[in-house]
Amino acid sequence: MIHRKTVMILTAVLLAVLGTWAMAADKTIDQTSVLSGRVVAQGLVTPGTVVSEGNILVNVQTIAGPMPTARATSDGVVREVLVKAGDTIHSGDVVARIEPAHK
């Protein structure tokens, strides 16, 4: 009887820990493009970069030259960059994901 109770308690604790971990695992913020164009290497952020709100993440080539198309919307760490130099992107495309800094 005691063994059964211990197993049930350990199972409940394990499920609680896994649930908490799963909820915390996907806390990234999608960063979207505001312009359409061809991504240029100049200013293209890389995964692992620590950014502050407003930092340029991606530039695109325009008639007037390279222009910022995505800026960080929060302080944090870039976890994913979904575009590379030469890619054509459109306004609204997700170009990077940031894990927000814990304050």
Side-chain angles (χ1 to χ4, degrees):
M1 190 64 132
I2 293 175
H3 179 66
R4 183 181 224 183
K5 185 184 270 186
T6 303
V7 170
M8 290 177 65
I9 291 172
L10 288 175
T11 301
V13 169
L14 179 63
L15 288 174
V17 168
L18 286 174
T20 303
W21 175 75
M23 287 177 21
D26 192 28
K27 295 291 183 186
T28 58
I29 301 171
D30 289 348
Q31 305 299 300
T32 57
S33 171
V34 295
L35 298 173
S36 298
R38 186 177 47 82
V39 176
V40 295
Q42 173 190 351
L44 183 59
V45 73
T46 57
T49 303
V50 176
V51 294
S52 297
E53 184 176 349
N55 286 154
I56 297 171
L57 303 174
V58 179
N59 287 313
V60 293
Q61 186 63 42
T62 68
I63 294 172
M67 298 292 283
T69 187
R71 293 181 180 267
T73 58
S74 70
D75 297 346
V77 178
V78 176
R79 290 297 174 208
E80 249 184 303
V81 178
L82 305 172
V83 298
K84 62 185 180 310
D87 287 353
T88 299
I89 60 174
H90 302 283
S91 180
D93 287 353
V94 177
V95 295
R97 291 192 173 102
I98 293 177
E99 180 182 319
H102 300 290
K103 294 184 178 186

